[in-house]
């Protein structure tokens, strides 16, 4: 009997201790959750303050950039029968869009590097090419080309290339007339976002259009931010804070054993070439952005050029595979091709390659 009483007493104390422990645990959990909620709230309030400050600064910058944009008179662009405002600053496109929403007026823009930007849906984009010269039609980052329909496939050549990586890949449609005549046709490009209609002309002599692109005034809403806008912006700031840098590949694992052959005084002579065992990186001078970007291809059997997937972004070519020989080239005239040869000296010396 006494033994039963002792056992019951012990069990009661144990149960009481368990209840007290659970109570303490629940109290600690509530305290922790309150702390986390407070921390998240304080962080979000701080981020919202940053957003408001950024928006205020951006508004003042927009006003100033519009004044600078309008201070430059439109100039006639040869050989196109258009007038465009010359720009030298990245915010000029935004200034043009802000001015359009304020006044309803908009013109094409010509950049320092010769790129002509048309306002999508508010102009008739025209490309004037020259025989045996490639012209680039640059679409928006992230657009996916679904189909292209040229009016003349007998006397014109069409191709594609892509610049950038990940979500920032920008598609380029390449155009080249094949005959030395003054000819004209049209081209429609359908993407996952919009439909482009472009006039193509070819001139046997004189200036030609190296690159055209677009900017998109209809996509920008100049009204004040709504609550949904603020939430979306907040998520962007949170992602920016939480983003972690990826681990870099050890330097010892990189292969720098490449030979570069060509004119070292060329504006687009590579600074460096290396690979990580899977992809090849070709580092260019930052000044190359101001000039026409050369095309990269592989050199295969019998010295024939072969197409390879690559992207160009922020002064780097990223080639999606290893190779023995590659070439960067531009067709400067009918009889001259400026090129840089890149040779992988370790090709065939390792089972991994």
């Amino acid at each position: 009997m006494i033994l039963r009483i002792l056992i019951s007493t012990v069990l009661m104390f144990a149960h009481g201790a368990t209840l007290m422990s659970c109570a303490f645990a629940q109290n600690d959990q509530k305290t922790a959750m309150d702390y986390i909620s407070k921390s998240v709230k304080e962080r979000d309030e701080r981020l919202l303050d940053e957003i408001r400050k950024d928006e205020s600064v951006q508004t003042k910058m927009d006003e100033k950039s519009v004044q600078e944009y309008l201070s430059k008179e439109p100039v006639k662009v040869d050989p196109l029968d258009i007038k465009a405002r010359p720009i030298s600053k990245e915010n000029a496109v935004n200034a043009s869009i802000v001015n359009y929403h304020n006044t309803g007026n908009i013109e094409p823009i010509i950049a320092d590097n010769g790129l002509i930007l048309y306002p999508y849906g508010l102009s008739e984009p025209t490309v004037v090419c020259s025989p045996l010269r490639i012209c680039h039609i640059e679409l928006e980052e992230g657009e996916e080309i679904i189909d292209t329909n040229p009016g003349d496939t007998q006397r014109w050549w069409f191709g594609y290339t892509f610049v950038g990586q990940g979500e920032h890949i920008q598609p380029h449609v390449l155009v080249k007339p094949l005959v030395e005549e003054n000819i004209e046709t049209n081209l429609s490009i359908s993407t996952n976002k919009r439909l482009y209609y472009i006039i193509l002309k070819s001139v046997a002599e004189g200036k030609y259009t190296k690159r055209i692109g677009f900017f998109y005034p209809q996509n920008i809403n100049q009204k004040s931010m709504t609550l949904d806008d603020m939430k979306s912006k907040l998520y962007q700031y949170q992602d920016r804070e939480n983003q972690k840098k990826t681990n870099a590949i050890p330097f010892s694992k990189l292969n720098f054993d490449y030979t570069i052959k060509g004119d070292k005084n060329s504006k687009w002579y590579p600074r460096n070439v290396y690979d990580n065992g899977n992809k090849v990186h070709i580092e260019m001078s930052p000044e190359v952005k101001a000039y026409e970007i050369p095309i990269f291809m592989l050199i295969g059997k019998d010295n024939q050029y072969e197409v390879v997937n690559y992207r160009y972004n922020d002064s780097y070519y990223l080639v999606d595979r290893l190779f023995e020989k590659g070439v960067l080239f531009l067709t400067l005239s009918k009889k001259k091709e400026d090129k840089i040869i890149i040779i992988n000296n370790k090709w065939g010396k390792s089972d991994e390659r």
Side-chain angles (χ1 to χ4, degrees):
M1 185 71 178
I2 296 175
L3 181 60
R4 289 180 179 177
I5 294 173
L6 288 174
I7 292 174
S8 299
T9 304
V10 170
L11 291 174
M12 287 177 62
F13 274 111
H15 181 65
T18 302
L19 290 175
M20 291 178 64
S21 176
C22 290
F24 281 122
Q26 290 176 353
N27 187 54
D28 289 345
Q29 185 179 15
K30 183 178 183 302
T31 302
M33 291 301 297
D34 289 343
Y35 175 78
I36 292 172
S37 298
K38 182 180 178 182
S39 299
V40 170
K41 184 178 180 181
E42 289 176 351
R43 183 196 65 176
D44 288 352
E45 288 177 351
R46 175 173 57 81
L47 291 176
L48 286 171
D49 285 340
E50 288 185 25
I51 293 171
R52 294 188 184 98
K53 289 178 182 177
D54 287 351
E55 291 297 317
S56 176
V57 171
Q58 186 62 48
T59 300
K60 293 179 180 178
M61 289 176 61
D62 287 346
E63 293 174 355
K64 183 178 179 181
S65 62
V66 168
Q67 293 175 358
E68 292 178 355
Y69 168 77
L70 294 176
S71 67
K72 297 189 176 183
E73 293 296 325
V75 297
K76 189 175 184 303
V77 180
D78 291 327
L80 303 175
D81 189 21
I82 64 170
K83 285 189 175 182
R85 289 189 186 268
I87 64 171
S88 57
K89 295 185 178 180
E90 294 180 358
N91 61 357
V93 171
N94 184 61
S96 173
I97 294 173
V98 173
N99 181 61
Y100 166 71
H101 283 273
N102 291 338
T103 67
N105 299 322
I106 198 164
E107 302 105 351
I109 291 173
I110 180 168
D112 288 344
N113 59 6
L115 172 65
I116 298 170
L117 296 173
Y118 287 95
Y120 175 79
L122 300 171
S123 61
E124 186 177 73
T126 302
V127 181
V128 177
C129 291
S130 183
L132 303 181
R133 299 294 185 92
I134 291 178
C135 298
H136 285 238
I137 301 172
E138 304 177 11
L139 307 183
E140 188 181 27
E141 282 189 0
E143 268 192 291
E144 298 176 7
I145 298 175
I146 297 175
D147 196 13
T148 57
N149 291 287
D152 183 350
T153 58
Q154 298 298 317
R155 297 179 296 177
W156 293 79
W157 174 88
F158 300 91
Y160 309 94
T161 189
F162 301 88
V163 178
Q165 57 184 348
E167 298 178 355
H168 301 290
I169 290 180
Q170 182 184 35
H172 287 215
V173 178
L174 309 179
V175 178
K176 180 174 67 173
L178 301 175
V179 296
E180 297 185 21
E181 300 176 9
N182 294 328
I183 56 177
E184 182 176 337
T185 187
N186 58 0
L187 170 68
S188 69
I189 305 170
S190 56
T191 74
N192 60 332
K193 293 184 178 181
R194 51 184 69 90
L195 175 67
Y196 297 85
Y197 182 87
I198 301 166
I199 301 297
L200 302 179
K201 297 181 179 181
S202 174
V203 292
E205 297 180 355
K207 294 183 179 180
Y208 70 100
T209 313
K210 294 181 180 179
R211 300 162 60 195
I212 74 162
F214 298 86
F215 60 106
Y216 306 90
Q218 299 91 335
N219 291 1
I220 308 298
N221 185 2
Q222 297 299 323
K223 297 179 181 180
S224 58
M225 294 183 68
T226 64
L227 179 60
D228 288 339
D229 294 332
M230 292 288 278
K231 288 180 179 179
S232 176
K233 202 83 171 180
L234 178 61
Y235 293 145
Q236 293 176 18
Y237 274 62
Q238 290 172 349
D239 290 340
R240 186 182 68 183
E241 280 212 339
N242 296 332
Q243 187 176 14
K244 296 181 180 180
K245 294 183 179 180
T246 56
N247 295 327
I249 296 175
F251 186 83
S252 60
K253 299 292 185 181
L254 301 179
N255 170 35
F256 289 87
D257 194 3
Y258 282 81
T259 298
I260 304 173
K261 294 183 178 182
D263 183 5
K264 292 185 178 181
N265 295 320
S266 172
K267 301 291 186 184
W268 39 276
Y269 188 87
R271 282 186 169 184
N272 211 339
V273 181
Y274 61 91
D275 70 69
N276 60 7
N278 294 303
K279 301 180 186 292
V280 179
H281 300 252
I282 304 173
E283 180 186 3
M284 310 296 286
S285 168
E287 289 75 23
V288 78
K289 296 178 182 178
Y291 303 94
E292 186 174 359
I293 302 298
I295 294 173
F296 180 81
M297 299 186 79
L298 301 187
I299 300 178
K301 295 181 179 180
D302 301 323
N303 289 324
Q304 294 296 312
Y305 289 179
E306 299 176 358
V307 176
V308 64
N309 288 334
Y310 72 89
R311 291 165 294 283
Y312 178 82
N313 184 43
D314 197 22
S315 302
Y316 275 86
Y317 285 84
L318 180 62
V319 185
D320 283 344
R321 50 158 291 193
L322 302 181
F323 57 85
E324 182 178 9
K325 288 183 181 180
V327 59
L328 292 164
F329 70 94
L330 280 177
T331 304
L332 301 179
S333 66
K334 298 175 185 177
K335 296 182 179 180
K336 183 180 179 183
E337 180 182 83
D338 196 359
K339 59 185 178 182
I340 304 291
I341 305 295
I342 299 172
I343 302 173
N344 182 356
N345 297 319
K346 285 193 175 180
W347 184 264
K349 296 182 180 180
S350 170
D351 291 336
E352 297 177 358
R353 295 181 186 274

